Amino acid sequence: MTHIPVLLKEMLLQLSPYSGGIYVDATFGAGGYSKAILESADCKVYAIDRDETVTKFYDDLNVKYPDRINLFIEKFSNIKSILNKSSVIPAGIQKKDNWIPASRAGMTSSGVDGIVFDVGVSSMQLDNGDRGFSFLRDGPLNMSMDNYSHMNASTFVNALREEEIANTIYNYGGERHFRRIARAIVNARKKKIIKTTFELADIVRSVVFRGKSKIDPATRTFQAIRIWVNDELGELEKGIKAASEILSENGKLIVVTFHSLEDRIVKTVFKDLCEPGSTKTFSLLNKKVIKASSEEINVNPRARSAKLRAIQRLS
């Protein structure tokens, strides 16, 4: 399945990349956002992704845009240390190879000109059964977005207490049958270790009936476990707060989310950053959340739940 970047035109319109600018694609994925930014202006892109399998997409872009893009296999919550090691901050206008954007030469402000986040699980991860993200493909219970995490979905279903399982499924999945599912998981693992995505999905379906709903009964449970495994909400809050601290004057911070828990965090952090008297004063670029057009949704159904919010640091 070909990856289609969501809200791409809207992201570019808000970001407005310019030649000589420094931009960060904090969720590189298949490189859709990075490619669009590089095509729109003679700028520099620092890309971040915790999933090392994305390097194949980076290699293609690096061939086409040599010396204009760098990739770091890291969590985006480490964005400050990543750019500090690359000499992008605190100096802001100078890199190790002395690459200085002409439009910023002589400026006293430091930082980057724009940072974009496209959060959540990628279509490549969902389509790969070996990663264990989807109940549509059988595979090991993993769901980790990186290869260095000690936590995975197997740990969740086979080691956590029933109460912890239930609370996580409710808080991160919004699943109203959370207690019933947690009990079924614990009962199943007493007989044998739960090893695969199909096994887990069948356990959930055995106690939650679809009825007239088009949504698979396992959907919310799988979402909740994935969020828990990768600490997605904690990472998001830490990431956007850190990103706000390294933007230059007039720098822009753009976040695309795919469910209400993510959007609530972005909305809350953005509100705090835009409050008068905050450490760094920002303003909202879009007072009303931006959603995908019906035309985009027809081409890419994944865009249906996408929401874009953006802020800009004031001079």
Side-chain angles (χ1 to χ4, degrees), residues 171-197:
N171 292 327
Y172 293 165
E175 172 58 70
R176 62 192 181 95
H177 301 295
F178 60 101
R179 289 193 180 92
R180 189 185 302 173
I181 295 169
R183 191 173 304 116
I185 289 173
V186 171
N187 288 337
R189 77 188 189 192
K190 288 178 181 178
K191 300 174 184 177
K192 66 169 187 171
I193 295 175
I194 305 168
K195 295 182 178 181
T196 71
T197 53

mmCIF file of all heavy atoms in Angstrom, residues 171-197:
data_model
loop_
_atom_site.group_PDB
_atom_site.id
_atom_site.type_symbol
_atom_site.label_atom_id
_atom_site.label_comp_id
_atom_site.label_asym_id
_atom_site.label_seq_id
_atom_site.Cartn_x
_atom_site.Cartn_y
_atom_site.Cartn_z
ATOM 1 N N ASN A 171 -8.812 4.106 29.313
ATOM 2 C CA ASN A 171 -8.248 5.456 29.204
ATOM 3 C C ASN A 171 -7.686 5.765 27.821
ATOM 4 O O ASN A 171 -7.799 6.896 27.334
ATOM 5 C CB ASN A 171 -7.155 5.651 30.252
ATOM 6 C CG ASN A 171 -7.705 5.684 31.661
ATOM 7 O OD1 ASN A 171 -8.816 6.157 31.900
ATOM 8 N ND2 ASN A 171 -6.937 5.175 32.621
ATOM 9 N N TYR A 172 -7.042 4.793 27.180
ATOM 10 C CA TYR A 172 -6.406 5.039 25.888
ATOM 11 C C TYR A 172 -7.244 4.578 24.699
ATOM 12 O O TYR A 172 -6.982 4.981 23.568
ATOM 13 C CB TYR A 172 -5.047 4.333 25.825
ATOM 14 C CG TYR A 172 -4.006 4.897 26.770
ATOM 15 C CD1 TYR A 172 -2.840 4.187 27.050
ATOM 16 C CD2 TYR A 172 -4.181 6.134 27.388
ATOM 17 C CE1 TYR A 172 -1.878 4.693 27.916
ATOM 18 C CE2 TYR A 172 -3.220 6.635 28.248
ATOM 19 C CZ TYR A 172 -2.078 5.917 28.519
ATOM 20 O OH TYR A 172 -1.128 6.417 29.377
ATOM 21 N N GLY A 173 -8.235 3.734 24.954
ATOM 22 C CA GLY A 173 -9.055 3.241 23.855
ATOM 23 C C GLY A 173 -10.495 3.694 23.902
ATOM 24 O O GLY A 173 -11.220 3.596 22.908
ATOM 25 N N GLY A 174 -10.914 4.187 25.062
ATOM 26 C CA GLY A 174 -12.297 4.595 25.202
ATOM 27 C C GLY A 174 -13.259 3.422 25.056
ATOM 28 O O GLY A 174 -14.415 3.594 24.669
ATOM 29 N N GLU A 175 -12.775 2.233 25.384
ATOM 30 C CA GLU A 175 -13.567 1.010 25.223
ATOM 31 C C GLU A 175 -14.455 0.802 26.455
ATOM 32 O O GLU A 175 -13.967 0.662 27.574
ATOM 33 C CB GLU A 175 -12.628 -0.182 25.035
ATOM 34 C CG GLU A 175 -13.299 -1.538 25.039
ATOM 35 C CD GLU A 175 -14.358 -1.674 23.978
ATOM 36 O OE1 GLU A 175 -13.987 -1.720 22.774
ATOM 37 O OE2 GLU A 175 -15.555 -1.744 24.342
ATOM 38 N N ARG A 176 -15.789 0.786 26.248
ATOM 39 C CA ARG A 176 -16.702 0.673 27.383
ATOM 40 C C ARG A 176 -16.757 -0.736 27.968
ATOM 41 O O ARG A 176 -17.211 -0.939 29.090
ATOM 42 C CB ARG A 176 -18.101 1.158 26.999
ATOM 43 C CG ARG A 176 -18.795 0.382 25.908
ATOM 44 C CD ARG A 176 -20.028 1.139 25.441
ATOM 45 N NE ARG A 176 -20.757 0.428 24.394
ATOM 46 C CZ ARG A 176 -21.792 -0.361 24.622
ATOM 47 N NH1 ARG A 176 -22.219 -0.557 25.864
ATOM 48 N NH2 ARG A 176 -22.414 -0.965 23.634
ATOM 49 N N HIS A 177 -16.286 -1.722 27.220
ATOM 50 C CA HIS A 177 -16.262 -3.096 27.722
ATOM 51 C C HIS A 177 -14.879 -3.450 28.287
ATOM 52 O O HIS A 177 -14.446 -4.605 28.219
ATOM 53 C CB HIS A 177 -16.625 -4.071 26.604
ATOM 54 C CG HIS A 177 -17.975 -3.830 26.007
ATOM 55 N ND1 HIS A 177 -19.143 -3.976 26.713
ATOM 56 C CD2 HIS A 177 -18.334 -3.435 24.758
ATOM 57 C CE1 HIS A 177 -20.179 -3.705 25.937
ATOM 58 N NE2 HIS A 177 -19.724 -3.365 24.759
ATOM 59 N N PHE A 178 -14.184 -2.458 28.822
ATOM 60 C CA PHE A 178 -12.787 -2.624 29.238
ATOM 61 C C PHE A 178 -12.612 -3.706 30.311
ATOM 62 O O PHE A 178 -11.647 -4.464 30.261
ATOM 63 C CB PHE A 178 -12.209 -1.284 29.724
ATOM 64 C CG PHE A 178 -12.915 -0.654 30.895
ATOM 65 C CD1 PHE A 178 -12.393 -0.759 32.178
ATOM 66 C CD2 PHE A 178 -14.098 0.051 30.719
ATOM 67 C CE1 PHE A 178 -13.019 -0.161 33.253
ATOM 68 C CE2 PHE A 178 -14.746 0.646 31.793
ATOM 69 C CZ PHE A 178 -14.214 0.539 33.065
ATOM 70 N N ARG A 179 -13.529 -3.779 31.262
ATOM 71 C CA ARG A 179 -13.386 -4.781 32.319
ATOM 72 C C ARG A 179 -13.584 -6.193 31.770
ATOM 73 O O ARG A 179 -12.863 -7.130 32.137
ATOM 74 C CB ARG A 179 -14.386 -4.510 33.440
ATOM 75 C CG ARG A 179 -14.059 -3.278 34.283
ATOM 76 C CD ARG A 179 -14.883 -3.248 35.556
ATOM 77 N NE ARG A 179 -14.563 -2.064 36.364
ATOM 78 C CZ ARG A 179 -15.207 -0.900 36.276
ATOM 79 N NH1 ARG A 179 -16.205 -0.769 35.411
ATOM 80 N NH2 ARG A 179 -14.863 0.122 37.031
ATOM 81 N N ARG A 180 -14.550 -6.335 30.894
ATOM 82 C CA ARG A 180 -14.834 -7.643 30.303
ATOM 83 C C ARG A 180 -13.641 -8.137 29.482
ATOM 84 O O ARG A 180 -13.267 -9.310 29.536
ATOM 85 C CB ARG A 180 -16.078 -7.524 29.412
ATOM 86 C CG ARG A 180 -16.610 -8.841 28.897
ATOM 87 C CD ARG A 180 -17.762 -8.601 27.934
ATOM 88 N NE ARG A 180 -18.856 -7.856 28.554
ATOM 89 C CZ ARG A 180 -19.907 -7.417 27.871
ATOM 90 N NH1 ARG A 180 -19.986 -7.612 26.563
ATOM 91 N NH2 ARG A 180 -20.874 -6.773 28.491
ATOM 92 N N ILE A 181 -13.020 -7.222 28.733
ATOM 93 C CA ILE A 181 -11.867 -7.580 27.903
ATOM 94 C C ILE A 181 -10.667 -7.947 28.770
ATOM 95 O O ILE A 181 -9.978 -8.941 28.522
ATOM 96 C CB ILE A 181 -11.507 -6.414 26.946
ATOM 97 C CG1 ILE A 181 -12.639 -6.193 25.951
ATOM 98 C CG2 ILE A 181 -10.194 -6.697 26.221
ATOM 99 C CD1 ILE A 181 -12.504 -4.928 25.140
ATOM 100 N N ALA A 182 -10.406 -7.153 29.792
ATOM 101 C CA ALA A 182 -9.275 -7.429 30.687
ATOM 102 C C ALA A 182 -9.426 -8.793 31.348
ATOM 103 O O ALA A 182 -8.455 -9.560 31.454
ATOM 104 C CB ALA A 182 -9.169 -6.329 31.745
ATOM 105 N N ARG A 183 -10.630 -9.109 31.783
ATOM 106 C CA ARG A 183 -10.869 -10.403 32.428
ATOM 107 C C ARG A 183 -10.643 -11.543 31.439
ATOM 108 O O ARG A 183 -10.051 -12.577 31.789
ATOM 109 C CB ARG A 183 -12.290 -10.445 32.979
ATOM 110 C CG ARG A 183 -12.582 -11.641 33.896
ATOM 111 C CD ARG A 183 -13.944 -11.522 34.541
ATOM 112 N NE ARG A 183 -14.075 -10.276 35.275
ATOM 113 C CZ ARG A 183 -14.955 -9.319 34.952
ATOM 114 N NH1 ARG A 183 -15.748 -9.468 33.903
ATOM 115 N NH2 ARG A 183 -15.026 -8.216 35.661
ATOM 116 N N ALA A 184 -11.099 -11.359 30.204
ATOM 117 C CA ALA A 184 -10.926 -12.395 29.180
ATOM 118 C C ALA A 184 -9.449 -12.620 28.865
ATOM 119 O O ALA A 184 -9.007 -13.762 28.662
ATOM 120 C CB ALA A 184 -11.680 -12.000 27.913
ATOM 121 N N ILE A 185 -8.662 -11.542 28.826
ATOM 122 C CA ILE A 185 -7.231 -11.659 28.560
ATOM 123 C C ILE A 185 -6.545 -12.443 29.680
ATOM 124 O O ILE A 185 -5.741 -13.351 29.434
ATOM 125 C CB ILE A 185 -6.596 -10.260 28.396
ATOM 126 C CG1 ILE A 185 -7.049 -9.619 27.081
ATOM 127 C CG2 ILE A 185 -5.065 -10.340 28.457
ATOM 128 C CD1 ILE A 185 -6.611 -8.170 26.905
ATOM 129 N N VAL A 186 -6.855 -12.100 30.910
ATOM 130 C CA VAL A 186 -6.237 -12.768 32.057
ATOM 131 C C VAL A 186 -6.629 -14.243 32.096
ATOM 132 O O VAL A 186 -5.789 -15.122 32.354
ATOM 133 C CB VAL A 186 -6.623 -12.057 33.367
ATOM 134 C CG1 VAL A 186 -6.165 -12.870 34.575
ATOM 135 C CG2 VAL A 186 -6.011 -10.658 33.408
ATOM 136 N N ASN A 187 -7.879 -14.541 31.823
ATOM 137 C CA ASN A 187 -8.327 -15.942 31.809
ATOM 138 C C ASN A 187 -7.638 -16.742 30.709
ATOM 139 O O ASN A 187 -7.263 -17.908 30.907
ATOM 140 C CB ASN A 187 -9.845 -16.011 31.632
ATOM 141 C CG ASN A 187 -10.602 -15.577 32.878
ATOM 142 O OD1 ASN A 187 -10.059 -15.627 33.980
ATOM 143 N ND2 ASN A 187 -11.841 -15.144 32.708
ATOM 144 N N ALA A 188 -7.457 -16.102 29.546
ATOM 145 C CA ALA A 188 -6.823 -16.788 28.416
ATOM 146 C C ALA A 188 -5.354 -17.079 28.693
ATOM 147 O O ALA A 188 -4.848 -18.159 28.364
ATOM 148 C CB ALA A 188 -6.964 -15.945 27.153
ATOM 149 N N ARG A 189 -4.657 -16.125 29.315
ATOM 150 C CA ARG A 189 -3.219 -16.322 29.555
ATOM 151 C C ARG A 189 -2.948 -17.327 30.667
ATOM 152 O O ARG A 189 -1.822 -17.819 30.799
ATOM 153 C CB ARG A 189 -2.552 -14.979 29.849
ATOM 154 C CG ARG A 189 -2.779 -14.440 31.254
ATOM 155 C CD ARG A 189 -2.252 -13.019 31.402
ATOM 156 N NE ARG A 189 -2.271 -12.591 32.791
ATOM 157 C CZ ARG A 189 -2.078 -11.322 33.163
ATOM 158 N NH1 ARG A 189 -1.867 -10.374 32.251
ATOM 159 N NH2 ARG A 189 -2.105 -11.000 34.447
ATOM 160 N N LYS A 190 -3.954 -17.637 31.478
ATOM 161 C CA LYS A 190 -3.790 -18.682 32.489
ATOM 162 C C LYS A 190 -3.628 -20.050 31.826
ATOM 163 O O LYS A 190 -2.961 -20.943 32.371
ATOM 164 C CB LYS A 190 -4.995 -18.700 33.426
ATOM 165 C CG LYS A 190 -5.058 -17.525 34.392
ATOM 166 C CD LYS A 190 -6.313 -17.605 35.251
ATOM 167 C CE LYS A 190 -6.398 -16.423 36.214
ATOM 168 N NZ LYS A 190 -7.661 -16.471 37.019
ATOM 169 N N LYS A 191 -4.227 -20.202 30.647
ATOM 170 C CA LYS A 191 -4.171 -21.472 29.926
ATOM 171 C C LYS A 191 -2.894 -21.579 29.103
ATOM 172 O O LYS A 191 -2.263 -22.626 29.035
ATOM 173 C CB LYS A 191 -5.391 -21.600 29.022
ATOM 174 C CG LYS A 191 -6.708 -21.567 29.778
ATOM 175 C CD LYS A 191 -7.902 -21.560 28.817
ATOM 176 C CE LYS A 191 -9.215 -21.437 29.594
ATOM 177 N NZ LYS A 191 -10.385 -21.348 28.668
ATOM 178 N N LYS A 192 -2.502 -20.457 28.466
ATOM 179 C CA LYS A 192 -1.263 -20.429 27.680
ATOM 180 C C LYS A 192 -0.872 -18.984 27.386
ATOM 181 O O LYS A 192 -1.719 -18.078 27.436
ATOM 182 C CB LYS A 192 -1.415 -21.195 26.364
ATOM 183 C CG LYS A 192 -2.411 -20.574 25.387
ATOM 184 C CD LYS A 192 -2.311 -21.236 24.024
ATOM 185 C CE LYS A 192 -3.189 -20.501 23.018
ATOM 186 N NZ LYS A 192 -2.961 -20.961 21.637
ATOM 187 N N ILE A 193 0.394 -18.760 27.065
ATOM 188 C CA ILE A 193 0.873 -17.414 26.732
ATOM 189 C C ILE A 193 0.192 -16.947 25.455
ATOM 190 O O ILE A 193 0.080 -17.690 24.480
ATOM 191 C CB ILE A 193 2.403 -17.414 26.546
ATOM 192 C CG1 ILE A 193 3.094 -17.743 27.871
ATOM 193 C CG2 ILE A 193 2.886 -16.063 26.036
ATOM 194 C CD1 ILE A 193 4.597 -17.890 27.736
ATOM 195 N N ILE A 194 -0.270 -15.708 25.460
ATOM 196 C CA ILE A 194 -0.881 -15.108 24.264
ATOM 197 C C ILE A 194 0.256 -14.571 23.396
ATOM 198 O O ILE A 194 1.002 -13.682 23.815
ATOM 199 C CB ILE A 194 -1.849 -13.976 24.648
ATOM 200 C CG1 ILE A 194 -2.898 -14.488 25.630
ATOM 201 C CG2 ILE A 194 -2.523 -13.403 23.405
ATOM 202 C CD1 ILE A 194 -3.724 -13.401 26.295
ATOM 203 N N LYS A 195 0.388 -15.117 22.200
ATOM 204 C CA LYS A 195 1.571 -14.810 21.392
ATOM 205 C C LYS A 195 1.311 -13.964 20.154
ATOM 206 O O LYS A 195 2.208 -13.262 19.692
ATOM 207 C CB LYS A 195 2.253 -16.116 20.958
ATOM 208 C CG LYS A 195 2.839 -16.933 22.102
ATOM 209 C CD LYS A 195 3.526 -18.183 21.576
ATOM 210 C CE LYS A 195 4.159 -18.986 22.706
ATOM 211 N NZ LYS A 195 4.843 -20.199 22.178
ATOM 212 N N THR A 196 0.130 -14.026 19.557
ATOM 213 C CA THR A 196 -0.071 -13.371 18.258
ATOM 214 C C THR A 196 -1.227 -12.385 18.270
ATOM 215 O O THR A 196 -2.096 -12.408 19.150
ATOM 216 C CB THR A 196 -0.343 -14.413 17.155
ATOM 217 O OG1 THR A 196 -1.650 -14.968 17.341
ATOM 218 C CG2 THR A 196 0.705 -15.518 17.180
ATOM 219 N N THR A 197 -1.230 -11.540 17.253
ATOM 220 C CA THR A 197 -2.292 -10.545 17.104
ATOM 221 C C THR A 197 -3.646 -11.201 16.867
ATOM 222 O O THR A 197 -4.668 -10.738 17.380
ATOM 223 C CB THR A 197 -1.975 -9.590 15.939
ATOM 224 O OG1 THR A 197 -1.707 -10.353 14.751
ATOM 225 C CG2 THR A 197 -0.765 -8.738 16.243
#
